[in-house]
């Protein structure tokens, strides 16, 4: 199907993009990698009058070291996140999760910031960003502000980004030397995860961060499991016992891929596997 006719704008700076967004308001849509927006336009599920393409803004791409954090530009591709040495050294969980995003074609076109701003609870990057304590830098007419990961994901396909704001970069606190694993359960290759678990652990196991994908309307932290794992030894029995609490406080959907109670079962099993692999015990 062919999209409804729209005007196309290609700003070369964030300020120019914000001006266009302010001028056109609700009639405009932001285009990043286009892996979520373009199918929606083709199916005519959305018909904006204006599409504002961010691909010409070079300042939104790239990964840099910034002291106690690495900073990832919003227009950086999944492929670059997966392969960048700074990410593999200081945020290994992100590199492993980015490697699981769809297929090679989408990883080369889709963007880190675009996926996070889209806020699909089945997306592969929200739970790792949440587990790593990411900080989201958004820019609007009044300047830039930083949103903590716990406050960024508001609801299904909804974030703390204002209607007149653009996500410009994501700061990831360094987790240098932490083990990491992203355990994803699908029925067919390249599918959205039915459930996935993002885990990063310090030592064996001094501290653990556990993020859950597709277990509610937003990415979630399995905080009860994190508390149970703190200071625990990476034995299979101990980890499995802690993983039994992974589904506490979750509200997963029921659909053709699985009922809510099945997804809660998966969360417990996958958490156990992911923690053991992250700790190097499996």
């Amino acid at each position: 199907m062919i999209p409804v006719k729209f005007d196309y704008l290609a700003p070369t700076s964030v300020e120019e993009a914000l001006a266009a967004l302010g001028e056109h308001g609700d009639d405009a849509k932001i285009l990043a990698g286009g892996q979520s927006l373009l199918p929606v336009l083709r199916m005519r599920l959305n018909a904006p009058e204006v599409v504002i393409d961010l691909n010409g803004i070079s300042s939104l791409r790239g990964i840099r070291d910034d002291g106690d954090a690495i900073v990832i530009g919003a227009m950086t591709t999944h492929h670059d996140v997966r392969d960048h040495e700074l990410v593999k050294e200081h945020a290994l969980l992100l590199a492993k999760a980015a490697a699981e995003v769809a297929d090679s074609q989408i990883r080369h076109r889709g963007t880190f910031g675009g996926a996070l701003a889209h806020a699909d609870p089945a997306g592969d990057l929200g739970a790792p960003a949440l587990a790593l304590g990411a900080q989201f830098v958004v820019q609007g007419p009044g300047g830039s502000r930083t949103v903590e990961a716990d406050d960024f994901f508001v609801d299904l396909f909804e974030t703390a980004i204002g209607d007149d704001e653009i996500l410009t970069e994501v700061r990831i606190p360094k987790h240098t030397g932490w083990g990491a694993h992203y355990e994803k359960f699908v029925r067919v290759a390249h599918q959205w995860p039915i459930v996935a678990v993002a885990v990063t652990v310090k030592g064996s196991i001094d501290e653990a961060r556990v993020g859950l994908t597709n277990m509610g309307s937003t990415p979630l932290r399995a905080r009860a499991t994190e508390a149970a794992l703190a200071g625990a030894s990476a034995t299979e029995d101990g980890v499995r016992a802690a993983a039994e609490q992974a589904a506490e406080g979750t509200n997963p959907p029921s659909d053709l891929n699985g009922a809510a109670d099945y997804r809660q079962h998966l969360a417990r099993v996958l958490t156990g596997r992911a923690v053991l692999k992250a700790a190097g015990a499996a």
Side-chain angles (χ1 to χ4, degrees):
M1 188 177 291
I2 299 173
V4 174
K5 182 179 179 180
F6 56 81
D7 291 331
Y8 172 80
L9 301 177
T12 57
S13 69
V14 174
E15 291 74 19
E16 189 179 341
L18 288 171
L21 190 58
E23 178 182 352
H24 298 286
D26 293 340
D27 294 326
K29 281 289 184 183
I30 295 291
L31 173 65
Q35 304 308 297
S36 298
L37 179 61
L38 291 182
V40 168
L41 296 183
R42 287 176 61 86
M43 291 185 286
R44 298 197 176 190
L45 297 175
N46 200 308
E49 294 183 8
V50 177
V51 170
I52 303 170
D53 186 354
L54 303 184
N55 281 275
I57 306 177
S58 59
S59 64
L60 295 180
R61 290 191 297 273
I63 300 170
R64 69 180 192 273
D65 192 312
D66 191 26
D68 60 355
I70 61 171
V71 180
I72 303 176
M75 291 295 291
T76 306
T77 64
H78 306 311
H79 172 269
D80 288 347
V81 171
R82 182 194 69 177
D83 288 353
H84 203 285
E85 290 302 321
L86 281 176
V87 179
K88 289 189 282 189
E89 180 180 359
H90 301 298
L92 181 60
L93 179 57
L94 271 187
K96 293 199 169 188
E100 297 295 325
V101 173
D103 55 30
S104 181
Q105 181 177 349
I106 288 176
R107 288 194 293 271
H108 277 80
R109 288 295 306 164
T111 65
F112 183 65
L116 292 168
H118 186 54
D120 188 331
D124 288 301
L125 299 178
L130 186 64
L132 289 167
Q135 296 176 314
F136 298 81
V137 181
V138 296
Q139 187 172 334
S144 295
R145 63 188 181 94
T146 300
V147 182
E148 299 293 333
D150 287 343
D151 301 319
F152 182 76
F153 300 102
V154 176
D155 206 342
L156 186 71
F157 299 111
E158 182 182 354
T159 71
I161 302 172
D163 292 339
D164 58 351
E165 293 179 319
I166 293 173
L167 177 66
T168 57
E169 61 186 28
V170 183
R171 297 178 56 84
I172 308 293
K174 288 182 178 178
H175 288 71
T176 312
W178 288 47
H181 187 73
Y182 186 66
E183 187 79 10
K184 178 176 178 177
F185 185 85
V186 296
R187 291 189 297 110
V188 295
H190 312 313
Q191 185 187 31
W192 294 106
I194 298 172
V195 174
V197 179
V199 172
T200 189
V201 300
K202 182 180 181 180
S204 181
I205 305 170
D206 301 323
E207 185 179 350
R209 300 287 189 90
V210 182
L212 304 176
T213 299
N214 216 8
M215 288 298 291
S217 60
T218 67
L220 299 171
R221 288 271 297 276
R223 296 187 185 276
T225 292
E226 292 176 354
L229 287 170
S233 58
T235 63
E236 184 166 350
D237 288 346
V239 168
R240 300 289 183 200
E244 282 299 307
Q245 303 178 60
E248 289 185 9
T250 64
N251 185 28
S254 289
D255 55 29
L256 293 175
N257 286 313
D261 58 349
Y262 174 60
R263 280 187 160 92
Q264 289 177 327
H265 165 73
L266 283 176
R268 292 187 285 268
V269 173
L270 298 180
T271 297
R273 292 178 186 172
V275 171
L276 287 169
K277 290 177 180 178

